[in-house]
mmCIF file of all heavy atoms in Angstrom:
data_model
loop_
_atom_site.group_PDB
_atom_site.id
_atom_site.type_symbol
_atom_site.label_atom_id
_atom_site.label_comp_id
_atom_site.label_asym_id
_atom_site.label_seq_id
_atom_site.Cartn_x
_atom_site.Cartn_y
_atom_site.Cartn_z
ATOM 1 N N LEU A 22 6.632 23.530 -19.008
ATOM 2 C CA LEU A 22 5.984 23.943 -20.252
ATOM 3 C C LEU A 22 5.508 25.393 -20.173
ATOM 4 O O LEU A 22 5.697 26.193 -21.105
ATOM 5 C CB LEU A 22 4.816 23.002 -20.548
ATOM 6 C CG LEU A 22 4.166 23.118 -21.930
ATOM 7 C CD1 LEU A 22 5.172 22.724 -23.002
ATOM 8 C CD2 LEU A 22 2.930 22.222 -22.006
ATOM 9 N N ILE A 23 4.899 25.746 -19.050
ATOM 10 C CA ILE A 23 4.386 27.116 -18.881
ATOM 11 C C ILE A 23 5.530 28.120 -18.844
ATOM 12 O O ILE A 23 5.492 29.169 -19.496
ATOM 13 C CB ILE A 23 3.525 27.214 -17.607
ATOM 14 C CG1 ILE A 23 2.255 26.366 -17.764
ATOM 15 C CG2 ILE A 23 3.178 28.667 -17.300
ATOM 16 C CD1 ILE A 23 1.425 26.273 -16.489
ATOM 17 N N LEU A 24 6.567 27.796 -18.055
ATOM 18 C CA LEU A 24 7.708 28.708 -17.966
ATOM 19 C C LEU A 24 8.409 28.870 -19.308
ATOM 20 O O LEU A 24 8.832 29.969 -19.675
ATOM 21 C CB LEU A 24 8.698 28.183 -16.912
ATOM 22 C CG LEU A 24 8.253 28.305 -15.450
ATOM 23 C CD1 LEU A 24 9.259 27.606 -14.531
ATOM 24 C CD2 LEU A 24 8.101 29.773 -15.058
ATOM 25 N N GLY A 25 8.544 27.792 -20.061
ATOM 26 C CA GLY A 25 9.169 27.880 -21.384
ATOM 27 C C GLY A 25 8.366 28.748 -22.331
ATOM 28 O O GLY A 25 8.913 29.565 -23.085
ATOM 29 N N PHE A 26 7.041 28.596 -22.298
ATOM 30 C CA PHE A 26 6.181 29.412 -23.162
ATOM 31 C C PHE A 26 6.289 30.891 -22.809
ATOM 32 O O PHE A 26 6.398 31.750 -23.684
ATOM 33 C CB PHE A 26 4.738 28.935 -23.032
ATOM 34 C CG PHE A 26 3.757 29.752 -23.828
ATOM 35 C CD1 PHE A 26 3.628 29.579 -25.194
ATOM 36 C CD2 PHE A 26 2.961 30.711 -23.201
ATOM 37 C CE1 PHE A 26 2.738 30.328 -25.925
ATOM 38 C CE2 PHE A 26 2.068 31.471 -23.922
ATOM 39 C CZ PHE A 26 1.951 31.280 -25.301
ATOM 40 N N LEU A 27 6.272 31.185 -21.482
ATOM 41 C CA LEU A 27 6.380 32.582 -21.061
ATOM 42 C C LEU A 27 7.732 33.176 -21.430
ATOM 43 O O LEU A 27 7.817 34.333 -21.884
ATOM 44 C CB LEU A 27 6.162 32.678 -19.543
ATOM 45 C CG LEU A 27 4.745 32.400 -19.046
ATOM 46 C CD1 LEU A 27 4.705 32.406 -17.514
ATOM 47 C CD2 LEU A 27 3.771 33.431 -19.601
ATOM 48 N N SER A 28 8.797 32.396 -21.264
ATOM 49 C CA SER A 28 10.133 32.886 -21.608
ATOM 50 C C SER A 28 10.235 33.189 -23.097
ATOM 51 O O SER A 28 10.770 34.223 -23.511
ATOM 52 C CB SER A 28 11.195 31.847 -21.208
ATOM 53 O OG SER A 28 11.164 31.613 -19.813
ATOM 54 N N ALA A 29 9.717 32.293 -23.925
ATOM 55 C CA ALA A 29 9.746 32.512 -25.378
ATOM 56 C C ALA A 29 8.934 33.741 -25.765
ATOM 57 O O ALA A 29 9.331 34.534 -26.638
ATOM 58 C CB ALA A 29 9.221 31.273 -26.101
ATOM 59 N N SER A 30 7.782 33.945 -25.112
ATOM 60 C CA SER A 30 6.939 35.106 -25.416
ATOM 61 C C SER A 30 7.656 36.399 -25.074
ATOM 62 O O SER A 30 7.587 37.386 -25.817
ATOM 63 C CB SER A 30 5.618 35.008 -24.648
ATOM 64 O OG SER A 30 4.919 33.841 -24.997
ATOM 65 N N ILE A 31 8.358 36.408 -23.915
ATOM 66 C CA ILE A 31 9.076 37.616 -23.506
ATOM 67 C C ILE A 31 10.190 37.938 -24.490
ATOM 68 O O ILE A 31 10.388 39.085 -24.888
ATOM 69 C CB ILE A 31 9.635 37.446 -22.080
ATOM 70 C CG1 ILE A 31 8.489 37.376 -21.066
ATOM 71 C CG2 ILE A 31 10.581 38.584 -21.736
ATOM 72 C CD1 ILE A 31 8.925 37.010 -19.661
ATOM 73 N N VAL A 32 10.934 36.916 -24.913
ATOM 74 C CA VAL A 32 12.018 37.124 -25.887
ATOM 75 C C VAL A 32 11.473 37.671 -27.204
ATOM 76 O O VAL A 32 12.012 38.625 -27.783
ATOM 77 C CB VAL A 32 12.790 35.811 -26.103
ATOM 78 C CG1 VAL A 32 13.766 35.959 -27.274
ATOM 79 C CG2 VAL A 32 13.542 35.420 -24.842
ATOM 80 N N LEU A 33 10.384 37.075 -27.698
ATOM 81 C CA LEU A 33 9.790 37.544 -28.942
ATOM 82 C C LEU A 33 9.285 38.972 -28.820
ATOM 83 O O LEU A 33 9.382 39.777 -29.756
ATOM 84 C CB LEU A 33 8.646 36.614 -29.364
ATOM 85 C CG LEU A 33 9.068 35.215 -29.839
ATOM 86 C CD1 LEU A 33 7.842 34.348 -30.121
ATOM 87 C CD2 LEU A 33 9.913 35.333 -31.112
ATOM 88 N N LEU A 34 8.707 39.313 -27.667
ATOM 89 C CA LEU A 34 8.196 40.664 -27.455
ATOM 90 C C LEU A 34 9.334 41.677 -27.480
ATOM 91 O O LEU A 34 9.218 42.761 -28.058
ATOM 92 C CB LEU A 34 7.448 40.742 -26.127
ATOM 93 C CG LEU A 34 6.827 42.101 -25.772
ATOM 94 C CD1 LEU A 34 5.781 42.474 -26.819
ATOM 95 C CD2 LEU A 34 6.210 42.060 -24.384
ATOM 96 N N ILE A 35 10.475 41.319 -26.838
ATOM 97 C CA ILE A 35 11.630 42.219 -26.829
ATOM 98 C C ILE A 35 12.167 42.411 -28.238
ATOM 99 O O ILE A 35 12.455 43.530 -28.672
ATOM 100 C CB ILE A 35 12.730 41.671 -25.899
ATOM 101 C CG1 ILE A 35 12.253 41.705 -24.441
ATOM 102 C CG2 ILE A 35 14.018 42.467 -26.060
ATOM 103 C CD1 ILE A 35 13.198 41.021 -23.476
ATOM 104 N N LEU A 36 12.272 41.315 -28.991
ATOM 105 C CA LEU A 36 12.814 41.405 -30.350
ATOM 106 C C LEU A 36 11.902 42.176 -31.284
ATOM 107 O O LEU A 36 12.354 42.758 -32.258
ATOM 108 C CB LEU A 36 13.045 39.992 -30.913
ATOM 109 C CG LEU A 36 14.175 39.190 -30.255
ATOM 110 C CD1 LEU A 36 14.231 37.792 -30.858
ATOM 111 C CD2 LEU A 36 15.514 39.908 -30.433
ATOM 112 N N SER A 37 10.609 42.185 -31.002
ATOM 113 C CA SER A 37 9.661 42.846 -31.904
ATOM 114 C C SER A 37 9.246 44.221 -31.416
ATOM 115 O O SER A 37 8.295 44.801 -31.922
ATOM 116 C CB SER A 37 8.404 41.980 -32.075
ATOM 117 O OG SER A 37 7.760 41.806 -30.836
ATOM 118 N N SER A 38 9.975 44.779 -30.412
ATOM 119 C CA SER A 38 9.653 46.102 -29.889
ATOM 120 C C SER A 38 10.616 47.131 -30.459
ATOM 121 O O SER A 38 11.734 46.812 -30.857
ATOM 122 C CB SER A 38 9.744 46.111 -28.363
ATOM 123 O OG SER A 38 8.802 45.218 -27.809
ATOM 124 N N ASP A 39 10.164 48.394 -30.520
ATOM 125 C CA ASP A 39 11.022 49.467 -31.001
ATOM 126 C C ASP A 39 11.884 49.981 -29.858
ATOM 127 O O ASP A 39 11.927 49.418 -28.767
ATOM 128 C CB ASP A 39 10.190 50.597 -31.636
ATOM 129 C CG ASP A 39 9.232 51.232 -30.648
ATOM 130 O OD1 ASP A 39 9.421 51.039 -29.430
ATOM 131 O OD2 ASP A 39 8.307 51.937 -31.101
ATOM 132 N N ASP A 40 12.588 51.086 -30.092
ATOM 133 C CA ASP A 40 13.523 51.614 -29.105
ATOM 134 C C ASP A 40 12.842 52.079 -27.822
ATOM 135 O O ASP A 40 13.476 52.200 -26.777
ATOM 136 C CB ASP A 40 14.317 52.788 -29.695
ATOM 137 C CG ASP A 40 15.211 52.319 -30.831
ATOM 138 O OD1 ASP A 40 15.444 51.090 -30.924
ATOM 139 O OD2 ASP A 40 15.651 53.178 -31.620
ATOM 140 N N ASN A 41 11.527 52.378 -27.924
ATOM 141 C CA ASN A 41 10.809 52.875 -26.760
ATOM 142 C C ASN A 41 10.032 51.773 -26.048
ATOM 143 O O ASN A 41 9.216 52.038 -25.181
ATOM 144 C CB ASN A 41 9.849 53.990 -27.181
ATOM 145 C CG ASN A 41 10.601 55.177 -27.740
ATOM 146 O OD1 ASN A 41 11.625 55.565 -27.188
ATOM 147 N ND2 ASN A 41 10.106 55.745 -28.834
ATOM 148 N N GLY A 42 10.251 50.526 -26.478
ATOM 149 C CA GLY A 42 9.571 49.417 -25.833
ATOM 150 C C GLY A 42 8.183 49.152 -26.338
ATOM 151 O O GLY A 42 7.475 48.284 -25.831
ATOM 152 N N ARG A 43 7.733 49.873 -27.397
ATOM 153 C CA ARG A 43 6.393 49.664 -27.920
ATOM 154 C C ARG A 43 6.409 48.506 -28.911
ATOM 155 O O ARG A 43 7.376 48.319 -29.645
ATOM 156 C CB ARG A 43 5.890 50.924 -28.621
ATOM 157 C CG ARG A 43 5.746 52.108 -27.696
ATOM 158 C CD ARG A 43 5.447 53.360 -28.485
ATOM 159 N NE ARG A 43 6.491 53.625 -29.465
ATOM 160 C CZ ARG A 43 6.501 54.693 -30.258
ATOM 161 N NH1 ARG A 43 5.536 55.576 -30.181
ATOM 162 N NH2 ARG A 43 7.472 54.876 -31.124
ATOM 163 N N PRO A 44 5.313 47.717 -28.976
ATOM 164 C CA PRO A 44 5.259 46.644 -29.965
ATOM 165 C C PRO A 44 5.422 47.226 -31.365
ATOM 166 O O PRO A 44 4.811 48.222 -31.718
ATOM 167 C CB PRO A 44 3.851 46.043 -29.769
ATOM 168 C CG PRO A 44 3.484 46.404 -28.369
ATOM 169 C CD PRO A 44 4.131 47.733 -28.105
ATOM 170 N N SER A 45 6.257 46.581 -32.144
ATOM 171 C CA SER A 45 6.546 47.076 -33.485
ATOM 172 C C SER A 45 6.013 46.115 -34.531
ATOM 173 O O SER A 45 6.071 44.899 -34.363
ATOM 174 C CB SER A 45 8.057 47.230 -33.678
ATOM 175 O OG SER A 45 8.352 47.540 -35.014
ATOM 176 N N ARG A 46 5.505 46.670 -35.625
ATOM 177 C CA ARG A 46 5.044 45.852 -36.748
ATOM 178 C C ARG A 46 6.039 45.923 -37.888
ATOM 179 O O ARG A 46 5.714 45.682 -39.028
ATOM 180 C CB ARG A 46 3.684 46.353 -37.231
ATOM 181 C CG ARG A 46 2.621 46.315 -36.144
ATOM 182 C CD ARG A 46 1.327 46.911 -36.651
ATOM 183 N NE ARG A 46 0.356 47.018 -35.568
ATOM 184 C CZ ARG A 46 -0.428 48.059 -35.401
ATOM 185 N NH1 ARG A 46 -0.334 49.074 -36.207
ATOM 186 N NH2 ARG A 46 -1.298 48.082 -34.429
ATOM 187 N N SER A 47 7.247 46.320 -37.581
ATOM 188 C CA SER A 47 8.202 46.618 -38.628
ATOM 189 C C SER A 47 8.834 45.399 -39.265
ATOM 190 O O SER A 47 9.655 45.542 -40.140
ATOM 191 C CB SER A 47 9.315 47.513 -38.061
ATOM 192 O OG SER A 47 10.004 46.819 -37.050
ATOM 193 N N ARG A 48 8.451 44.151 -38.825
ATOM 194 C CA ARG A 48 9.066 42.967 -39.416
ATOM 195 C C ARG A 48 8.018 42.035 -40.002
ATOM 196 O O ARG A 48 8.261 40.839 -40.154
ATOM 197 C CB ARG A 48 9.909 42.228 -38.366
ATOM 198 C CG ARG A 48 11.043 43.079 -37.834
ATOM 199 C CD ARG A 48 11.798 42.385 -36.727
ATOM 200 N NE ARG A 48 12.712 43.309 -36.091
ATOM 201 C CZ ARG A 48 13.962 43.514 -36.482
ATOM 202 N NH1 ARG A 48 14.436 42.864 -37.515
ATOM 203 N NH2 ARG A 48 14.730 44.368 -35.848
ATOM 204 N N THR A 49 6.891 42.560 -40.359
ATOM 205 C CA THR A 49 5.823 41.705 -40.868
ATOM 206 C C THR A 49 5.803 41.640 -42.376
ATOM 207 O O THR A 49 5.017 40.913 -42.937
ATOM 208 C CB THR A 49 4.454 42.228 -40.386
ATOM 209 O OG1 THR A 49 4.277 43.565 -40.862
ATOM 210 C CG2 THR A 49 4.369 42.209 -38.885
ATOM 211 N N ALA A 50 6.641 42.405 -43.062
ATOM 212 C CA ALA A 50 6.609 42.431 -44.515
ATOM 213 C C ALA A 50 7.926 41.947 -45.085
ATOM 214 O O ALA A 50 8.913 41.828 -44.389
ATOM 215 C CB ALA A 50 6.318 43.850 -45.008
ATOM 216 N N VAL A 51 7.909 41.667 -46.384
ATOM 217 C CA VAL A 51 9.105 41.174 -47.044
ATOM 218 C C VAL A 51 10.233 42.185 -46.935
ATOM 219 O O VAL A 51 11.386 41.845 -46.674
ATOM 220 C CB VAL A 51 8.805 40.863 -48.519
ATOM 221 C CG1 VAL A 51 10.078 40.471 -49.243
ATOM 222 C CG2 VAL A 51 7.776 39.744 -48.617
ATOM 223 N N THR A 52 9.951 43.468 -47.131
ATOM 224 C CA THR A 52 10.976 44.491 -47.043
ATOM 225 C C THR A 52 11.273 44.877 -45.597
ATOM 226 O O THR A 52 12.167 45.660 -45.350
ATOM 227 C CB THR A 52 10.544 45.752 -47.802
ATOM 228 O OG1 THR A 52 9.226 46.105 -47.405
ATOM 229 C CG2 THR A 52 10.562 45.508 -49.296
ATOM 230 N N GLY A 53 10.493 44.343 -44.656
ATOM 231 C CA GLY A 53 10.843 44.503 -43.256
ATOM 232 C C GLY A 53 10.356 45.757 -42.592
ATOM 233 O O GLY A 53 10.801 46.075 -41.510
ATOM 234 N N PHE A 54 9.404 46.511 -43.184
ATOM 235 C CA PHE A 54 9.013 47.740 -42.520
ATOM 236 C C PHE A 54 7.559 48.086 -42.809
ATOM 237 O O PHE A 54 7.157 48.221 -43.957
ATOM 238 C CB PHE A 54 9.895 48.890 -42.969
ATOM 239 C CG PHE A 54 9.602 50.167 -42.222
ATOM 240 C CD1 PHE A 54 9.923 50.295 -40.886
ATOM 241 C CD2 PHE A 54 8.988 51.226 -42.861
ATOM 242 C CE1 PHE A 54 9.652 51.455 -40.190
ATOM 243 C CE2 PHE A 54 8.703 52.395 -42.175
ATOM 244 C CZ PHE A 54 9.041 52.514 -40.835
ATOM 245 N N VAL A 55 6.780 48.185 -41.750
ATOM 246 C CA VAL A 55 5.423 48.726 -41.815
ATOM 247 C C VAL A 55 5.370 49.870 -40.825
ATOM 248 O O VAL A 55 5.439 49.656 -39.616
ATOM 249 C CB VAL A 55 4.355 47.677 -41.458
ATOM 250 C CG1 VAL A 55 2.963 48.271 -41.603
ATOM 251 C CG2 VAL A 55 4.497 46.454 -42.319
ATOM 252 N N PRO A 56 5.279 51.128 -41.261
ATOM 253 C CA PRO A 56 5.323 52.257 -40.323
ATOM 254 C C PRO A 56 4.098 52.283 -39.425
ATOM 255 O O PRO A 56 2.997 51.938 -39.841
ATOM 256 C CB PRO A 56 5.368 53.476 -41.250
ATOM 257 C CG PRO A 56 4.760 53.005 -42.524
ATOM 258 C CD PRO A 56 5.147 51.568 -42.658
ATOM 259 N N ASP A 57 4.306 52.717 -38.186
ATOM 260 C CA ASP A 57 3.217 52.817 -37.226
ATOM 261 C C ASP A 57 2.392 54.079 -37.418
ATOM 262 O O ASP A 57 1.326 54.218 -36.836
ATOM 263 C CB ASP A 57 3.773 52.794 -35.794
ATOM 264 C CG ASP A 57 4.407 51.451 -35.448
ATOM 265 O OD1 ASP A 57 3.904 50.429 -35.934
ATOM 266 O OD2 ASP A 57 5.395 51.437 -34.701
ATOM 267 N N SER A 58 2.890 55.010 -38.231
ATOM 268 C CA SER A 58 2.210 56.287 -38.432
ATOM 269 C C SER A 58 2.357 56.715 -39.883
ATOM 270 O O SER A 58 3.380 56.430 -40.515
ATOM 271 C CB SER A 58 2.811 57.364 -37.522
ATOM 272 O OG SER A 58 2.421 58.665 -37.934
ATOM 273 N N PRO A 59 1.361 57.387 -40.442
ATOM 274 C CA PRO A 59 1.497 57.899 -41.811
ATOM 275 C C PRO A 59 2.532 59.003 -41.924
ATOM 276 O O PRO A 59 2.895 59.408 -43.023
ATOM 277 C CB PRO A 59 0.090 58.426 -42.128
ATOM 278 C CG PRO A 59 -0.517 58.722 -40.803
ATOM 279 C CD PRO A 59 0.042 57.686 -39.869
ATOM 280 N N HIS A 60 3.011 59.506 -40.784
ATOM 281 C CA HIS A 60 3.981 60.597 -40.795
ATOM 282 C C HIS A 60 5.323 60.142 -40.209
ATOM 283 O O HIS A 60 6.063 60.938 -39.649
ATOM 284 C CB HIS A 60 3.435 61.784 -40.008
ATOM 285 C CG HIS A 60 2.007 62.097 -40.328
ATOM 286 N ND1 HIS A 60 1.605 62.511 -41.575
ATOM 287 C CD2 HIS A 60 0.869 62.004 -39.576
ATOM 288 C CE1 HIS A 60 0.280 62.685 -41.568
ATOM 289 N NE2 HIS A 60 -0.181 62.388 -40.380
ATOM 290 N N SER A 61 5.623 58.843 -40.354
ATOM 291 C CA SER A 61 6.867 58.296 -39.807
ATOM 292 C C SER A 61 8.069 58.833 -40.564
ATOM 293 O O SER A 61 8.061 58.933 -41.787
ATOM 294 C CB SER A 61 6.855 56.764 -39.903
ATOM 295 O OG SER A 61 5.840 56.222 -39.089
ATOM 296 N N HIS A 62 9.102 59.155 -39.829
ATOM 297 C CA HIS A 62 10.390 59.550 -40.399
ATOM 298 C C HIS A 62 11.489 59.010 -39.497
ATOM 299 O O HIS A 62 11.460 59.222 -38.295
ATOM 300 C CB HIS A 62 10.528 61.073 -40.504
ATOM 301 C CG HIS A 62 9.717 61.677 -41.593
ATOM 302 N ND1 HIS A 62 10.167 61.832 -42.873
ATOM 303 C CD2 HIS A 62 8.440 62.155 -41.583
ATOM 304 C CE1 HIS A 62 9.229 62.394 -43.614
ATOM 305 N NE2 HIS A 62 8.166 62.602 -42.847
ATOM 306 N N GLY A 63 12.436 58.299 -40.055
ATOM 307 C CA GLY A 63 13.587 57.854 -39.296
ATOM 308 C C GLY A 63 13.506 56.432 -38.789
ATOM 309 O O GLY A 63 14.534 55.817 -38.524
ATOM 310 N N GLU A 64 12.281 55.858 -38.617
ATOM 311 C CA GLU A 64 12.173 54.491 -38.125
ATOM 312 C C GLU A 64 12.841 53.519 -39.095
ATOM 313 O O GLU A 64 13.476 52.547 -38.701
ATOM 314 C CB GLU A 64 10.703 54.112 -37.937
ATOM 315 C CG GLU A 64 9.981 54.947 -36.894
ATOM 316 C CD GLU A 64 8.502 54.615 -36.859
ATOM 317 O OE1 GLU A 64 8.130 53.546 -37.369
ATOM 318 O OE2 GLU A 64 7.722 55.418 -36.332
ATOM 319 N N HIS A 65 12.673 53.772 -40.365
ATOM 320 C CA HIS A 65 13.248 52.898 -41.380
ATOM 321 C C HIS A 65 14.770 52.914 -41.309
ATOM 322 O O HIS A 65 15.423 51.878 -41.493
ATOM 323 C CB HIS A 65 12.771 53.366 -42.763
ATOM 324 C CG HIS A 65 13.050 52.383 -43.855
ATOM 325 N ND1 HIS A 65 13.689 52.723 -45.014
ATOM 326 C CD2 HIS A 65 12.790 51.056 -43.934
ATOM 327 C CE1 HIS A 65 13.801 51.649 -45.780
ATOM 328 N NE2 HIS A 65 13.270 50.634 -45.157
ATOM 329 N N ASP A 66 15.352 54.058 -41.003
ATOM 330 C CA ASP A 66 16.809 54.149 -40.872
ATOM 331 C C ASP A 66 17.308 53.269 -39.735
ATOM 332 O O ASP A 66 18.319 52.580 -39.861
ATOM 333 C CB ASP A 66 17.235 55.604 -40.620
ATOM 334 C CG ASP A 66 16.885 56.505 -41.785
ATOM 335 O OD1 ASP A 66 16.661 55.980 -42.877
ATOM 336 O OD2 ASP A 66 16.840 57.732 -41.580
ATOM 337 N N ARG A 67 16.598 53.275 -38.602
ATOM 338 C CA ARG A 67 17.020 52.459 -37.462
ATOM 339 C C ARG A 67 16.951 50.978 -37.790
ATOM 340 O O ARG A 67 17.798 50.190 -37.392
ATOM 341 C CB ARG A 67 16.151 52.770 -36.236
ATOM 342 C CG ARG A 67 16.360 54.166 -35.676
ATOM 343 C CD ARG A 67 15.833 54.249 -34.261
ATOM 344 N NE ARG A 67 14.407 53.997 -34.179
ATOM 345 C CZ ARG A 67 13.487 54.934 -34.330
ATOM 346 N NH1 ARG A 67 13.837 56.180 -34.600
ATOM 347 N NH2 ARG A 67 12.205 54.642 -34.216
ATOM 348 N N LEU A 68 15.937 50.588 -38.543
ATOM 349 C CA LEU A 68 15.809 49.193 -38.925
ATOM 350 C C LEU A 68 16.950 48.780 -39.836
ATOM 351 O O LEU A 68 17.540 47.714 -39.679
ATOM 352 C CB LEU A 68 14.466 48.971 -39.633
ATOM 353 C CG LEU A 68 14.194 47.535 -40.090
ATOM 354 C CD1 LEU A 68 14.092 46.608 -38.897
ATOM 355 C CD2 LEU A 68 12.935 47.467 -40.936
ATOM 356 N N MET A 69 17.296 49.618 -40.797
ATOM 357 C CA MET A 69 18.396 49.304 -41.692
ATOM 358 C C MET A 69 19.713 49.179 -40.930
ATOM 359 O O MET A 69 20.512 48.285 -41.177
ATOM 360 C CB MET A 69 18.524 50.388 -42.767
ATOM 361 C CG MET A 69 17.351 50.472 -43.737
ATOM 362 S SD MET A 69 17.133 48.969 -44.720
ATOM 363 C CE MET A 69 15.722 48.227 -43.896
ATOM 364 N N ASP A 70 19.929 50.075 -39.978
ATOM 365 C CA ASP A 70 21.163 50.033 -39.195
ATOM 366 C C ASP A 70 21.233 48.769 -38.346
ATOM 367 O O ASP A 70 22.274 48.124 -38.239
ATOM 368 C CB ASP A 70 21.271 51.270 -38.298
ATOM 369 C CG ASP A 70 21.426 52.549 -39.119
ATOM 370 O OD1 ASP A 70 21.821 52.444 -40.285
ATOM 371 O OD2 ASP A 70 21.140 53.627 -38.572
ATOM 372 N N ALA A 71 20.101 48.404 -37.747
ATOM 373 C CA ALA A 71 20.083 47.244 -36.872
ATOM 374 C C ALA A 71 20.360 45.959 -37.629
ATOM 375 O O ALA A 71 20.982 45.028 -37.108
ATOM 376 C CB ALA A 71 18.725 47.147 -36.152
#
Side-chain angles (χ1 to χ4, degrees):
L22 190 65
I23 294 173
L24 288 174
F26 177 78
L27 290 175
S28 299
S30 300
I31 293 172
V32 171
L33 290 175
L34 181 62
I35 293 173
L36 291 177
S37 61
S38 298
D39 61 17
D40 295 343
N41 297 318
R43 297 172 302 183
S45 172
R46 301 176 187 139
S47 63
R48 298 176 190 271
T49 60
V51 175
T52 49
F54 185 70
V55 183
D57 294 326
S58 165
H60 315 296
S61 295
H62 286 271
E64 297 174 18
H65 192 232
D66 297 341
R67 292 198 298 273
L68 180 64
M69 294 297 104
D70 294 340

